[in-house]
Amino acid sequence: MSFHALRLVVRLSIVAACGIAATATSFAQISYPMVMSLKPVAVQVGATTECEVNSRYTMLGAYQVTVGGTGVSAEVVPPEMPVLKPGEKPKDVTKLKVKFTATMEALPGVREFRLATPNGASTIGQLVVVRDPVIFEVAENDSMAKAQVVTLPAALCGAFEKAEDFDFWKFTAEAGQTISFHVRCQRLQDKIHDLQVHADPILFLRDTKGSVLAMSDNTFFADPFLAHRFEQAGEYLLEIRDVRYQGNVDWSYCIEANSRAYVTGAFPKAVKAGVPTSVELSGVGLLSGPKGTVLVKDGTSPGLAVAPVMIGDQLSNPVGMYVTDLPIVVETSADNNSAMTALPFEVPQVIAGRIESPADLDCYAFLAKKGEKYSFEVIARRQMSNLDSFLRILNDQGQPVREDDDGRFGRLTSADTWLEGWEAPADGKYIVEIRDGQLRGGSGFEYALQVIRTQPYFQLEVDTDKTQLTPGTYGSIFVRVVRKHGFTGEVQLHVDGLPGGVTGVCGKILSTKGVDGCISLSAPPGSMPVASDIRIWGTATHSIPSSPPAAAGGNPDDVPRRCSTCPRPPRRTRSTTHLVEVAVTFRSKRTPSLSESAPIWWRVKLSETEIRLKPGESKKILITLERAKDVNANVTLDFMYRHLEQVFANSLPEGVTMDGNLSKTLLTGSDSEGYITLKADKTAPPVERQLTAVMANFAINFVMKATYSSPPVFVTVEKE
């Protein structure tokens, strides 16, 4: 056996914020802002656009905006605020101007953004980076007679602001010109936290008499896409509305209208980072048999990626690709439609293929030995391929031994198939067969199929996007492990990229039955507001066969030798991206400037932070809540991260529990003293200094709460 280091990365975002005022009576109503919409919802590359963010709950004091990816920056335009009278509460700011700037190198597409505010970080907002000038709708363009006149190409931005709202755009087209209209609307609302009902846009192309020349409804999920060749030069109208005639002030949209080719897919879909790859293209406005060159930036980590395609001397829109460091085999024109004509390949491998016509199926053959385990992953629909994959594993007689459809990726189900841990029942040749679940095929049905030997690995999950700190206090982030295929090892947690002055103590997720680990963050007194992305990652060691049985023609050891320094476990890791914000806040009865100190609401103090237990022993930890004057909100104390009695994280060692009968966890009114009794079961295994924390929770409303944490607590279970 040999031991290989496994590493998994979870990317997060952290905010250090300075606080805004709150009176004791309004304490329970304070919340971080929830971004509802952005108008206009787009920014042009090489330009700066002033947009208006609409939120639920105040954005007063917002001082920084973080934007995902590279090439896009943003700054808050401070609103004009009236001078407050003594004791007067500042008015809420639910509309805020933000300037977004995109460099010429910024990759077009959708970006996520957040605002850092004194009450914490906002929820996620969505921004579209476009190539053409951004035009925002005027107040009245709700009829053909009032159609807004625009010059194309352009990104047309508006909103279905009320029921039965119609938006009309008038433009001029030349004879023989093909113009495409790409709508982003419903897809922009998927991550808007508090937007309960989403838009369902429909698009009509009309002549000036009102006759419909073309229409489009659901192309990319609920969003339309329309491409039309204009036979006659003249003026035309574009109409967009909600298909149900519904409206909402937060239903923003962007229509990218231009005469460039629109690429929807590329074959082969699998590429190497830094290596120019010639691809055949599918899409709209392309010449017959179009080809181009795709280059994914060197250093891009293996996994899903987007990159523009060079078509002649022009760059296309970005297209979804799969970056891999495994060998790639590309489907040829040879017949591979049956088990008898299956294309042979070696494991591990990524197969780049295409379902070329309706009812087409592709077969690939490999050799396996009894007991060997394999994993099969399709990359197609997640990268906007039309393919709804369906996999079958066949024996050498063409008889099915396993079949699988949709795959589960974290908490999401996808039309992409992901079959993990299939075990060969006997020595011999096997065939993996892939087809469309509805027997469709043709242009745009490209896929990448990754086949590897199944090995132990782990995934990390973070189940929060809000962790508050105040200067001089602590906050906790809990990380959960998902163990796969026999991985039982201990995972050491790490954090990178903390804002200046903020420090972290990283715990571990214990082996075998351990599920959760804790990272304790602290901000020193006098912390200044700042925001930055952070990276949480874990390392572990796990024994795997150094020389697995080699199938004929196979690689006897497909574990990367560089895995001790790679950002992923050997051959299989999912790097999950979250914008989790850690807000360093302080609040008082007045509104301080961002550089002005103010008293905190409370601080959590413990009688001891080094807790040693013998099996069967209990220990009482006294907890004191240092409250700010006149703050009398009810507080619950807990070692576990839970909501409505459901536990989301428990970083206590195995066999150590809270004894509810010997604990005082509810502090009402101005009560500031409680206690929790920890008990070690008689069979609790020994563990040294497992990191955890006591949390003090107060309710913002029925479904939201804020948490303050104690200093790091280390729990040791001694040997009997």
Side-chain angles (χ1 to χ4, degrees), residues 3 40 200 206 287 304 320 326 340 342 376 408 430 527 545 588 663:
F3 289 84
D200 185 358
R206 301 178 182 271
L287 299 175
L304 307 182
L326 293 175
M340 300 301 103
F376 308 82
R408 183 79 173 177
Y430 293 89
S527 295
S588 70
S663 299

Side-chain angles (χ1 to χ4, degrees), residues 448-468:
L449 171 60
Q450 178 171 276
V451 184
I452 60 173
R453 289 187 178 90
T454 303
Q455 296 173 355
Y457 74 97
F458 66 94
Q459 297 172 318
L460 296 181
E461 296 179 349
V462 179
D463 209 331
T464 180
D465 70 344
K466 295 289 181 297
T467 300
Q468 293 196 98

Side-chain angles (χ1 to χ4, degrees), residues 88-154:
E88 184 180 4
K89 180 183 176 181
K91 294 183 179 180
D92 289 346
V93 175
T94 56
K95 295 184 183 299
L96 184 69
K97 299 291 185 182
V98 173
K99 288 183 179 179
F100 289 95
T101 300
T103 66
M104 291 299 297
E105 293 73 31
L107 196 64
V110 179
R111 308 293 183 93
E112 297 177 353
F113 71 89
R114 285 186 190 264
L115 292 91
T117 78
N119 288 333
S122 73
T123 56
I124 289 174
Q126 302 268 73
L127 169 74
V128 185
V129 179
V130 297
R131 291 183 176 172
D132 303 314
V134 175
I135 302 176
F136 193 55
E137 69 170 317
V138 296
E140 295 292 338
N141 67 338
D142 55 0
S143 67
M144 290 190 294
K146 299 177 180 178
Q148 186 169 342
V149 180
V150 295
T151 300
L152 304 185

